[in-house]
Amino acid sequence: MIGYRVKSFREEKKMSISELSTKSGVAKSYISSLERNLQTNPTILVLEKIASILCITVDALLHDQIDHSIDDEWMEILHDVMGSGISKEEMREFIEVRKCTVR
């Protein structure tokens, strides 16, 4: 359920409902009712706002398991990165910074 995933991701980020509400612009009461599965049909706009603040995709809120298969283009990019000399740690750091700055 979407509400359970919102709550899980929020708690993983050690964020209160009030903090998520303030940062996302979604009413605290709405987030609370969503997390308690009283509100079960949030709009895509609400999900985008929440996902953005939690640094996740809307897809992560909608689905228990996300298809992690890698297409040919991603494999090519991965091989380019591996051959460039960038360490795994540098790549992870880049991804984390990028996830939280793209809003």
Side-chain angles (χ1 to χ4, degrees), residues 2 4 7 9 16 19-20 23 26 30 33 36 44-45 52 54 71 76 84 89 94 98 100:
I2 294 171
Y4 173 78
K7 184 176 183 177
F9 285 115
S16 68
E19 186 177 3
L20 179 57
K23 290 181 177 184
V26 176
Y30 188 89
S33 66
R36 291 180 291 133
I44 195 71
L45 180 61
S52 173
L54 296 174
D71 65 28
E76 184 179 332
S84 72
E89 292 77 23
F94 170 79
R98 180 82 173 134
C100 290

Side-chain angles (χ1 to χ4, degrees), residues 41-100:
N41 194 21
T43 65
I44 195 71
L45 180 61
V46 166
L47 294 177
E48 287 173 342
K49 289 178 177 183
I50 291 171
S52 173
I53 298 307
L54 296 174
C55 297
I56 58 171
T57 64
V58 171
D59 200 37
L61 291 176
L62 294 174
H63 305 287
D64 278 328
Q65 295 183 359
I66 300 170
D67 180 11
H68 292 289
S69 61
I70 300 174
D71 65 28
D72 292 339
E73 186 177 7
W74 276 113
M75 285 303 293
E76 184 179 332
I77 292 167
L78 179 60
H79 285 289
D80 287 346
V81 169
M82 290 169 62
S84 72
I86 296 173
S87 71
K88 291 177 192 175
E89 292 77 23
E90 290 170 322
M91 193 65 201
R92 283 189 184 104
E93 183 179 322
F94 170 79
I95 291 168
E96 285 304 311
V97 167
R98 180 82 173 134
K99 280 195 300 190
C100 290

Side-chain angles (χ1 to χ4, degrees), residues 17 21 26-36 38-39:
I17 290 176
S21 172
V26 176
K28 183 168 58 170
S29 60
Y30 188 89
I31 294 171
S32 176
S33 66
L34 184 64
E35 288 187 358
R36 291 180 291 133
L38 301 175
Q39 174 54 257

